[in-house]
Amino acid sequence: MSSITVSGGIPDRAPAGNHAPGAVRTCATTGLSICEVSSRFVRWHAVAAVVFLLIGGSAAILLALTRWPAVHLLSAPWYYRVLTLHGLNMLIFWILNFEVALLYFVGTTLLKSRLYSKTLAWVGFLMMVAGAIVVDVAIFQGKSDVLMTSYVPLLAAPAFYLGLILVAVGCLISVINYFGTVYIAKRDHTYEGSVPLVVFGAHAAAIIAVLTLLHAAAAIVPAFLWSIHLIDVPDPSWYRSTWWGLGHMSQQVNVCAMVSVWYFIGALTVGAKPLSESVCRGAFLLYILFINVASAHHLLTDPGVSAAWKIWNTSYAMYLAVLASMIHGFTVPASVEVAMRGKGFRRGVFGWLTAAPWSNPAFSGFLLSLVIFGFGGGITGVVLGTQQINIMAHNTLRIPGHFHVTVVGGTTLAFMAVTYYIVPLVFQREFVARALCRIQPWIFGIGITVFATGMSFAGSYGVPRRHWDVEFSGAQFATGFDSGAHVMLGIMGVGGVIAATGLFLFIGLVVATVFFGRSNAGRAMTPWHVERSSGEVARHDTDHEEHHTPGTLVLTGVFLLSFVVYYFANWKWLSDVWQVR
């Protein structure tokens, strides 16, 4: 394969764009216009993202080896310090920098536009990096062990809050720069018709990001003023409610970005096109409208929030956001199936799936991300968001077990997958050790699945989250958990080691490629896979073929059956512990 077929909501032909002479190049692989100014900031943010991923990943393995009772590595003070470090670097600094890189990439490349402002890009980038460094230094100084949620009246050093404010403002400036790019692209008619679906998803992510950052300002600024003794301690109940406008919505920014990456990789690898762009765009709108109120499921045991508000948000609004994920969860694999069947792989129900380009790490990472997010994160998320069941699971390891398959197994793995194209296309370097690249998504995906499974089932035994010592050493009364919980914590530890291996392998491959990879400037990147022949004659889509997705329908049935079993198993469990006569 000498070039990549670019389709599926991504324009393969567009107007010349609004670039200054010499400020744009044509990608020899995709034929897309690459803005040189934007590419510079894509590279800077990508580098920063990988650095923070290294910090957060190093913290992660220390935590996994501490929660594993047979190892129990860190002391209590260092456990909470490292947990704070892990949460902020993995959930905020790594992901936000990568998402800004994605916004700049899709905003300029897919719309054939120049970047709106280089000055804003520099200001945003420097504030985000400086703020993250300030936060990490404050944590290591030992006066900010307040965890990522930083609930008041827990008090951190002023530098901790100031660093977060710098990151938030820097990110907001970067998002404004993205919207400015979209504006000048529309003004200068650099594209025809509606924006591509991938860009539409980026729009949704950016809009939710603005709402998230406003909540961040509402929560973190008062905490900063309190830390420097200008105001009294904020009301804890108000703080928690406001903070989750930041905490949960930030994860939905990730979901929108992740889904956009799914569509992008599907188009790049197999030429997949969405079954219905209108339906997919509607699903992104559901995220914008309902995902913020769905954050209520973090407050289901909070006495300061009314029961009516909880029931409305978690019994009605949340399901409209879930509906959006189910739409994408069907259309993404269905579009891959249609594309593969269109190439002639029509044998049986899953012939298209077995013939898919699994040797391509971007494709395998993308499909693993989809499966882990859908089956692991989707099913557990809906169940844990049910008010009655949440009472059993709240503040147990089931909660981090859920978001490790959504944010890590879903978002982080999807970002890793798209990196296997971003580095060759933007950094113009061929990946080194390509055999290791092909197995890296599998190591990370399997590891994080085992880790989250052990974590979730340990939580089912009641093992609390955020607690250093599962044995409760020194307690006045005999306590602790039975052997089953210890087995699950051991599984969690093993999974953590495997996932960390995959994570460090990814970082090593990216760093080695950027510094030592062979340049592909001026020519197409070396393809990750060679198109296979089906032995059957490929045929053009017809009305019937466009919607002939028996394999995806079977997978959807398995998903729904799994959901029903898990959902009612939890209700059975609830009836055992909460008997109503």
Side-chain angles (χ1 to χ4, degrees), residues 39-49 97 122 125 129 427:
S39 292
R40 186 184 311 159
F41 292 100
V42 170
R43 290 193 288 267
W44 278 116
H45 278 286
V47 168
N97 273 285
W122 273 120
F125 172 73
V129 171
F427 287 78

Side-chain angles (χ1 to χ4, degrees), residues 355-389:
W358 293 103
S359 61
N360 185 332
F363 182 85
S364 60
F366 140 60
L367 253 296
L368 286 171
S369 163
L370 174 65
V371 171
I372 295 171
F373 179 86
F375 278 84
I379 291 175
T380 59
V382 172
V383 172
L384 295 176
T386 303
Q387 185 175 8
Q388 296 88 337
I389 296 173

Side-chain angles (χ1 to χ4, degrees), residues 5 43 45 62 168 194 233 253 260 333 354 415 437 448 507 540 567:
T5 301
R43 290 193 288 267
H45 278 286
L62 295 176
S194 302
V233 56
V253 178
S260 298
T354 57
F415 288 179
C437 294
I448 200 63
I507 294 173
H540 296 294
Y567 188 75

